[in-house]
């Protein structure tokens, strides 16, 4: 299983729930470090789903807020 976005096969395309503007990809959540990086235990998500999910953070420049985008991994 691999994430198409992490592997450069697909660009993260998502729209803001708030204003519908296209979001910019901030990268994999697991790769984000620093005191303000949101933490979510990926293991729990992956175990509860039959399909693995890669969590990405995207950012809406309009609303100036980051949004969690779940990418289905490919087998
Ligand atoms: Zn990914
Ligand atoms: Zn927005």
């Amino acid at each position: 299983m691999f994430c198409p976005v992490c592997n450069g096969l697909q660009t993260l395309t998502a729209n803001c729930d708030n204003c519908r503007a296209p979001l910019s990809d901030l990268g994999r959540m697991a790769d984000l470090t620093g005191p303000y990086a949101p933490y979510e235990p990926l293991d729990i998500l992956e175990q509860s789903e039959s399909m693995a999910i890669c969590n990405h953070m995207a950012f809406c420049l309009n609303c100036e807020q980051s949004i969690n985008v779940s990418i289905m991994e490919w087998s």
Side-chain angles (χ1 to χ4, degrees):
M1 301 291 277
F2 64 97
C3 169
V5 176
C6 289
N7 288 274
L9 297 171
Q10 203 177 72
T11 49
L12 194 155
T13 49
N15 291 82
C16 178
D17 285 339
N18 215 21
C19 67
R20 311 311 299 164
L23 302 173
S24 5
D25 188 6
L26 289 184
R28 237 178 107 186
M29 199 182 282
D31 293 338
L32 296 176
T33 52
Y36 303 111
Y39 177 76
E40 209 160 305
L42 297 177
D43 291 345
I44 292 169
L45 271 176
E46 286 177 3
Q47 282 164 13
S48 63
E49 301 279 339
S50 56
M51 296 185 69
I53 286 170
C54 185
N55 282 295
H56 284 253
M57 286 304 286
F59 188 78
C60 178
L61 295 168
N62 237 4
C63 304
E64 297 187 329
Q65 64 175 357
S66 52
I67 292 156
N68 179 14
V69 181
S70 298
I71 307 290
M72 289 285 187
E73 294 190 348
W74 295 358
S75 53

